[in-house]
Amino acid sequence: MIYSISPHDIGSAMFIGAAILGLGLFLRSRLTNQRLPSRPALVAKFVVAALIAVVFIGAPVKMALHTALPHCAFDKNGQQLTVCLSDDDEQVFVD
């Protein structure tokens, strides 16, 4: 059987991520000075933030939108690509 995460595990992971984000924002506000960074530093931070967003948001969304293989899928050479759960599953051949 294929392992899948329960909704409780997803909620726990999201809570831990939010707690770490909140802690980071709190510590940053306590440790930073009140002076503003220079314009090139702001542009560099924006570029780095955009790259991080593309990697950690764009890539998972692209992977989630990818069409999953049907149950009991085989390639043209006869190699099994997915787990067949029962004998009644229709065998699908994919490229």
Side-chain angles (χ1 to χ4, degrees), residues 22-34 37 42 45:
L23 178 65
L25 291 174
F26 174 74
L27 291 176
R28 181 178 177 177
S29 68
R30 303 250 335 197
L31 298 176
T32 58
N33 294 336
Q34 296 302 327
L42 283 176
K45 285 183 180 184

Side-chain angles (χ1 to χ4, degrees), residues 13 38 48 83:
S38 66
V48 169
V83 177

Side-chain angles (χ1 to χ4, degrees), residues 6-89:
S6 69
H8 175 70
D9 292 339
I10 294 172
S12 298
M14 290 177 68
F15 177 75
I16 291 169
I20 291 172
L21 177 66
L23 178 65
L25 291 174
F26 174 74
L27 291 176
R28 181 178 177 177
S29 68
R30 303 250 335 197
L31 298 176
T32 58
N33 294 336
Q34 296 302 327
R35 58 189 172 93
L36 294 175
S38 66
R39 183 178 212 94
L42 283 176
V43 171
K45 285 183 180 184
F46 177 77
V47 169
V48 169
L51 290 173
I52 290 172
V54 166
V55 170
F56 289 103
I57 296 172
V61 168
K62 182 169 174 41
M63 290 171 52
L65 294 177
H66 182 69
T67 306
L69 289 173
H71 292 291
C72 219
F74 292 84
D75 66 2
K76 290 185 178 182
N77 296 329
Q79 298 287 330
Q80 188 172 351
L81 301 175
T82 59
V83 177
C84 299
L85 300 177
S86 69
D87 294 335
D88 299 336
D89 287 338

